[in-house]
Amino acid sequence: MKISVSIPEVKQWVKAQKIAGKTVGLVPTMGYLHEGHASLIKRCLAENDVVVVSNFVNPTQFGVGEDLADYPRDFNQDCTLCEALGVDMVFHPDSQEMYNAPHVSVAVDTLSETLCGKTRPIHFSGVCTVVCKLFNIVAPDRAYFGEKDAQQLAIIRKM
Ligand code: PAF
């Protein structure tokens, strides 16, 4: 299993897979993987030739006073699980790799302003921004998201 922290390296690796005729699946995560993630990864493995799992605690989806610093992390354990499942690449960038000034963001209005969006005004824009970046970096044939957060799912589908 390859582990990369570099956007150009991931792009190059994906390009080589596509030239070889392989389909690429992506499972975006913020790490601290559990059974739910494992089931998405298994489905991704079954439906694609190669699988990339992104592991990035995305700062732009955390508002002031939210739990970015306290968000649980266990990268070694995550890699052990991914390797056991047969994941081909784990993409583990840092914030500097993902976000450069000037900052570009993506937002879906209306859907992002109700329910959780009322108390977390920047949250869904942060989610859309990072997912859009991941789609551009990995250019997956298919991407897999949990259904626990129905609002997030609806917003990502719309994006
Ligand atoms: O649901 C999550 O884990 C995150 O919001 C996501 C989609 C990986 C974006 O950071």
Side-chain angles (χ1 to χ4, degrees):
M1 184 180 76
K2 201 167 170 49
I3 298 173
S4 180
V5 297
S6 150
I7 292 172
E9 190 180 48
V10 172
K11 284 186 168 175
Q12 203 177 8
W13 183 86
V14 168
K15 193 173 170 187
Q17 304 306 315
K18 292 196 169 182
I19 287 170
K22 295 186 177 172
T23 57
V24 178
L26 170 67
V27 183
T29 82
M30 298 211 298
Y32 213 66
L33 305 181
H34 50 64
E35 266 312 303
H37 295 110
S39 77
L40 293 176
I41 292 169
K42 282 178 195 164
R43 187 165 161 210
C44 188
L45 284 159
E47 295 177 357
N48 300 277
D49 297 320
V50 293
V51 168
V52 179
V53 173
S54 63
N55 187 315
F56 176 60
V57 181
N58 173 37
T60 64
Q61 67 189 77
F62 291 80
V64 177
E66 291 183 351
D67 52 353
L68 174 61
D70 295 337
Y71 195 85
R73 294 163 171 87
D74 192 341
F75 185 62
N76 289 339
Q77 178 63 34
D78 291 346
C79 285
T80 302
L81 177 67
C82 285
E83 180 125 51
L85 289 170
V87 168
D88 299 278
M89 173 178 270
V90 172
F91 176 42
H92 185 52
D94 63 16
S95 292
Q96 210 173 336
E97 185 72 2
M98 291 297 277
Y99 292 104
N100 286 306
H103 180 57
V104 176
S105 62
V106 177
V108 172
D109 64 14
T110 321
L111 283 173
S112 302
E113 289 151 16
T114 57
L115 302 169
C116 292
K118 282 187 179 159
T119 51
R120 304 185 77 193
I122 64 153
H123 175 67
F124 291 116
S125 167
V127 171
C128 287
T129 299
V130 79
V131 170
C132 182
K133 283 174 182 277
L134 291 168
F135 283 176
N136 279 298
I137 295 162
V138 179
D141 294 280
R142 299 180 191 84
Y144 297 79
F145 296 87
E147 297 182 341
K148 195 177 68 179
D149 185 338
Q151 188 174 10
Q152 170 174 287
L153 195 60
I155 289 166
I156 290 171
R157 280 200 175 117
K158 185 69 183 169
M159 184 189 75

